[in-house]
Amino acid sequence: MTNFAAGRRPLPTSPFKPRVKAPPKHFTVGDRVTHDAYGLGRVVDVEGDGDTAVLVDFGSRQERITHPYTAMFKL
């Protein structure tokens, strides 16, 4: 068997290519956000350096959203 100097590169269309890690989301007090389930809101409080949870005011109610904020996006 031959050992190649370069590592194996998956093809761009391969279903087995390594997943790209998304950059972490950071929110600060006052940020406008949208949530898939709750809609538009504004960040009211941040727990821990923003890596634990955020409290968001969605108008009719406030929700505590925990990390990893997959359904919430900054506007």
Side-chain angles (χ1 to χ4, degrees), residues 24-57:
K25 296 180 183 179
H26 295 286
F27 298 101
T28 57
V29 175
D31 283 347
R32 301 228 7 149
V33 295
T34 180
H35 191 278
D36 290 345
Y38 304 118
L40 295 173
R42 185 177 300 272
V43 176
V44 179
D45 189 23
V46 177
E47 294 180 18
D49 226 3
D51 56 354
T52 306
V54 293
L55 183 66
V56 182
D57 180 17

Side-chain angles (χ1 to χ4, degrees), residues 6-7 9-10 15 17 21 24 30 36 44 46-50 63 65-66 68:
R9 292 183 313 157
K17 64 184 174 187
K21 208 172 191 187
D36 290 345
V44 179
V46 177
E47 294 180 18
D49 226 3
E63 289 291 329
I65 312 293
T66 57

